[in-house]
Amino acid sequence: MSQTPPSPHLLTSPLHARHVALGAKLADFGGWLMPIEYSGVVGEHAAVRTGVGVFDVSHLGKATVAGSATDGSGATAFDFVNATLANDLRRIGPGRAQYTLACDEASGGVVDDLIAYVKSEQEIFLIPNAANTAEVVRRLAAAAPPGITVTNQHADFAVLAVQGPRSADLLAALGLPAGHDYMAFATAVWNGGPLTVCRTGYTGEHGYELVCRQPDADELWTAILRAGEPFDVKPCGLGARDTLRTEMGYPLHGQDLSLDITPVQARVGWAVGWKKDAFWGREALLAEKAEGPRRLLWGLRQVDRAIPRPHMAVWDAPGPDDQGSVIGEVTSGTFSPTLKIGIALALLSPTAAEGDTVYLDVRGRRAAFSVTKPPFVTASTR
Amino acid sequence: MVGGRATVYGRDNQLPDSTNHGRTARGHTGETRRGTAPAAQIQQRSNAVATADIPEDLNYTAEHEWVRADTETMLRVGITDFAQDALGDIVFVTLPQPGAEIQAGEPCGELESTKSVSDVYAPVSGTVTAVNGALDANPELVNSDPYGEGWMFEVEASGPEALDALLDAAGYRAVSEK
């Protein structure tokens, strides 16, 4: 049972050798060979909830939309992004980032969820998911008027996430900006190169995502681990990132959001600028909102002991004498290291309501779960 | 054991080959009842075999379980150090009930990590005489002490020949290094 060598086509982070030296387990995430875990998911999860952890998320996409239209419309990169992506960029200004969605024009389904940084009217920096970056860039480039450029910078930058209640202390010890508002970013100079420090994350804790030039990543990673020693910083893998985000009920594209799952169904309508005149998928989403979605994303919390997994069927009866019917499907499920119970996100028919008891088909056995509204663990992002 | 049937990762979970999003038959927890996953799906460290503890006085299966023979037929069963490291933090253990009849090579329990479910296979045929109740509240014992407090169950084998089909430490090391 020797280790199968990774496929040769996989991209690696500039920190790949560091991860191997730390004994990380690696897996393919969106075409990138990235760490799943170093010392263990449960311990890494706890470090982020109680102290501080650092994640290499360099596989995340990076792209820049820049310029102003030369077609006489006067539209800037800001205007163009605001007329295509779903959230209303006018809610924020330069120096702020926003969670937004790229929806399909025809169906309203989600092509990707991403973070948009407003650097200026003429420059919007995007962080899409790794596997969706090329498609997001393709759609934006196809729609961009002359004068506005869309550039895929996937391998130009590295992204390190420093997350947890001690994250501000760690960054302060490094002399980096810290303590700014949630979803605000600051720029600094690192190794003579630009470094962006954004108060974002995917863990539910106070945290920062650092975007640096790829050649600077190795030194930054090493400096973070060294400066974090007094705070017992742990390198954390994408396994812990998944349990952390699931406890918060944050959707994951490819599971809880997809081309087949709209923002209305996944309850991320808060990231849609409903009053805007234009964004991709506007007609379809307004129609779905008026009509009422055919399913909605809920949280499920274990009553019977069991760990939910994606695609488990959700029933309205305990079986086997009372078979009932299928009312939905688990989209994300895991063991919550904080609560020590099974938790899930599931798309359920509109008849489901908070407090209902439903039953998951756990490999042939039905386990009772309670319908709830996430988060499962109180967020401490601010 | 050691057959991850479901794998769930973080943001950007576009997973390797057929486990992508856990939607295919092999990676899909809800559909695939059993089957040892190929080695490619087991997430192990590159130095796993070299550092794994393989005690000389135990018998083993190719499914990475150990068997300690107290007598010719009274056997204690657990998973190997190599297996616990490959599986990662164990967070939920399901074991057969005392009194249950188990068949060599057939699944008789499950080990779950945050991201995967793996079958426990019966190493021999016989009757379960005891299970390690401590694993209910402290499943992490499987990781921290796989050959000691992390044992899973005891079985009375249906005959003394049951041990003949098992591997010795050298045989197991050879299997692990394949």
Side-chain angles (χ1 to χ4, degrees):
Chain A
M1 199 179 67
S2 61
Q3 189 167 34
T4 304
S7 310
H9 67 270
L10 286 180
L11 300 165
T12 55
S13 152
L15 301 170
H16 181 70
R18 298 278 174 198
H19 302 323
V20 171
L22 285 165
K25 296 179 186 174
L26 303 164
D28 176 359
F29 289 80
W32 292 64
L33 187 65
M34 299 298 292
I36 307 172
E37 63 169 73
Y38 302 84
S39 50
V41 171
V42 173
E44 292 167 24
H45 180 109
V48 173
R49 286 274 179 262
T50 62
V52 58
V54 56
F55 302 78
D56 177 10
V57 286
S58 296
H59 63 307
L60 293 175
K62 307 98 192 166
T64 292
V65 181
S68 294
T70 53
D71 58 4
S73 67
T76 61
F78 181 101
D79 298 328
F80 169 65
V81 169
N82 204 35
T84 50
L85 303 187
N87 208 337
D88 194 342
L89 265 190
R90 289 168 303 195
R91 290 171 179 165
I92 63 167
R96 299 266 165 175
Q98 182 183 66
Y99 176 80
T100 188
L101 303 160
C103 293
D104 181 69
E105 173 63 19
S107 71
V110 181
V111 175
D112 198 18
D113 61 340
L114 56 171
I115 303 287
Y117 291 55
V118 177
K119 298 211 157 176
S120 72
E121 275 280 325
Q122 279 75 34
E123 186 182 356
I124 311 294
F125 183 67
L126 302 175
I127 303 216
N129 284 286
N132 301 328
T133 302
E135 180 62 12
V136 169
V137 167
R138 187 190 70 76
R139 289 186 184 225
L140 285 170
I148 291 182
T149 58
V150 182
T151 311
N152 187 338
Q153 301 170 302
H154 207 143
D156 295 353
F157 300 99
V159 186
L160 305 186
V162 181
Q163 303 280 305
R166 303 307 298 275
S167 57
D169 296 334
L170 193 160
L171 291 198
L174 269 179
L176 291 175
H180 37 298
D181 289 347
Y182 185 55
M183 299 300 284
F185 64 87
T187 49
V189 173
W190 178 262
N191 261 2
L195 175 71
T196 304
V197 181
C198 194
R199 264 294 306 287
T200 45
Y202 197 46
T203 63
E205 295 301 326
H206 186 109
Y208 302 83
E209 287 177 311
L210 281 56
V211 182
C212 70
R213 297 183 310 185
Q214 205 185 66
D216 298 335
D218 190 79
E219 200 158 324
L220 182 59
W221 170 266
T222 305
I224 288 169
L225 288 180
R226 196 178 301 129
E229 275 172 19
F231 314 112
D232 288 328
V233 65
K234 257 196 207 305
C236 298
L238 300 178
R241 197 161 180 260
D242 191 56
T243 52
L244 288 158
R245 72 92 192 167
T246 305
E247 286 184 348
M248 305 317 300
Y250 295 158
L252 168 65
H253 193 275
Q255 290 184 195
D256 317 298
L257 287 172
S258 74
L259 265 179
D260 297 326
I261 304 171
T262 68
V264 179
Q265 295 166 15
R267 292 185 208 262
V268 286
W270 61 269
V272 176
W274 294 106
K275 292 177 180 162
K276 294 199 298 185
D277 296 334
F279 59 89
W280 289 336
R282 180 174 178 274
E283 299 307 316
L285 292 173
L286 281 170
E288 185 186 32
K289 200 181 171 203
E291 203 174 303
R294 65 188 172 88
R295 53 189 186 175
L296 275 173
L297 194 68
W298 286 95
L300 302 179
R301 198 185 157 95
Q302 86 171 30
V303 175
D304 290 338
R305 211 167 160 199
I307 303 178
R309 305 293 180 185
H311 307 292
M312 282 182 176
V314 182
W315 294 74
D316 61 1
D321 296 335
D322 181 6
Q323 276 295 314
S325 19
V326 173
I327 58 161
E329 183 181 281
V330 171
T331 51
S332 287
T334 191
F335 173 82
S336 161
T338 304
L339 303 173
K340 313 251 181 254
I341 59 168
I343 57 171
L345 300 176
L347 283 168
L348 303 182
S349 81
T351 53
E354 188 165 15
D356 283 0
T357 299
V358 296
Y359 302 86
L360 297 194
D361 181 340
V362 181
R363 298 176 291 283
R365 173 180 71 90
R366 289 200 196 169
F369 275 69
S370 164
V371 176
T372 182
K373 278 198 177 138
F376 298 96
V377 172
T378 307
S380 310
T381 44
R382 292 166 199 271
Chain B
M1 55 121 282
V2 187
R5 286 188 311 253
T7 312
V8 183
Y9 296 126
R11 191 180 192 207
D12 275 347
N13 67 326
Q14 275 62 35
L15 296 180
D17 56 74
S18 62
T19 65
N20 195 10
H21 299 165
R23 273 180 195 151
T24 58
R26 196 185 83 203
H28 185 328
T29 333
E31 286 175 358
T32 315
R33 185 63 191 87
R34 68 178 66 144
T36 306
Q41 206 180 334
I42 298 165
Q43 304 299 337
Q44 60 184 84
R45 301 170 215 279
S46 53
N47 60 353
V49 173
T51 60
D53 180 21
I54 304 177
E56 290 298 324
D57 60 333
L58 302 179
N59 292 290
Y60 297 90
T61 71
E63 285 83 29
H64 306 280
E65 287 166 8
W66 56 261
V67 174
R68 174 174 281 128
D70 289 331
T71 70
E72 278 186 330
T73 57
M74 293 301 293
L75 313 175
R76 178 173 273 200
V77 180
I79 68 166
T80 65
D81 182 36
F82 176 83
Q84 69 76 21
D85 188 61
L87 289 176
D89 293 338
I90 301 299
V91 295
F92 190 34
V93 179
T94 309
L95 294 172
Q97 296 293 314
E101 299 289 329
I102 57 175
Q103 293 298 317
E106 294 291 315
C108 64
E110 291 175 343
L111 295 173
E112 298 199 47
S113 71
T114 53
K115 65 180 184 292
S116 69
V117 187
S118 303
D119 283 319
V120 172
Y121 293 97
V124 299
S125 297
T127 306
V128 175
T129 55
V131 298
N132 185 358
L135 299 184
D136 213 38
N138 300 105
E140 68 276 9
L141 290 171
V142 174
N143 295 111
S144 60
D145 192 8
Y147 298 112
E149 289 184 52
W151 67 279
M152 294 191 295
F153 59 91
E154 291 176 339
V155 55
E156 179 166 14
S158 40
E161 70 285 356
L163 285 175
D164 297 347
L166 301 177
L167 303 165
D168 62 10
Y172 175 62
R173 183 173 293 278
V175 166
S176 321
E177 285 170 355
K178 258 182 206 156

